Amino acid sequence: MDADCIFCKIANRSIPAPLVFESPDVVAFQDINPQAPQHVLIIPREHYANVGELARSGQQALLGKILSAATEIATKLGLDASGYRLVTNTGKDGGQTVKHLHVHLLGGRPLGWPPG
Ligand code: 5GP
Ligand code: ZN
């Protein structure tokens, strides 16, 4: 738990946000500023700054749980046929603004490539 981290607060329910998925290790919620018709953030309950910090902590299995949650949510949102994108921005050049690891699930429209 990082006392200044907004996603820690969402995960521990001290900031209310409707959860679209909840498990012992992972929660997911709608992005406050959606970039697509469906835009969900999937996070570990525990605070890791980014995917590298999590992997270096020996928590690779948690990455699998996050990705499994993402695919389950995508299915629930009806995105399997149309497709979707999972992305985890890391650091300054990656465009990361919240320093608590999160995977974006984006779908519901064709997404451009390469990203800007
Ligand atoms: P990043 O830029 O770090 O990859 O993504 C951070 C995401 O978190 C952004 O898409 C932003 O809209 C979202 N976000 C930031 N603060 C909040 C918040 O308080 N609640 C929710 N639901 N999303 C947030
Ligand atoms: Zn955090």
Side-chain angles (χ1 to χ4, degrees):
M1 165 76 189
D2 176 334
D4 297 325
C5 174
I6 188 116
F7 286 2
C8 281
K9 289 177 182 162
I10 289 174
N12 72 21
R13 317 302 290 131
S14 62
I15 291 181
L19 299 181
V20 302
F21 176 94
E22 197 170 4
S23 76
D25 302 308
V26 176
V27 300
F29 49 92
Q30 303 284 351
D31 195 291
I32 203 170
N33 182 23
Q35 300 301 311
Q38 302 291 354
H39 189 172
V40 172
L41 301 172
I42 303 103
I43 68 169
R45 288 186 188 269
E46 195 143 327
H47 183 91
Y48 297 96
N50 56 48
V51 72
E53 186 178 294
L54 183 152
R56 284 189 294 274
S57 302
Q59 299 298 318
Q60 290 88 342
L62 183 51
L63 273 180
K65 291 180 183 177
I66 293 167
L67 291 181
S68 292
T71 61
E72 193 177 318
I73 296 160
T75 299
K76 200 160 75 182
L77 294 175
L79 296 173
D80 279 339
S82 52
Y84 54 91
R85 183 170 296 166
L86 302 177
V87 62
T88 182
N89 297 327
T90 304
K92 183 165 67 69
D93 282 358
Q96 183 178 13
T97 58
V98 177
K99 306 292 191 307
H100 179 131
L101 167 65
H102 49 282
V103 170
H104 296 258
L105 164 61
L106 296 146
R109 67 169 172 83
L111 299 162
W113 192 265

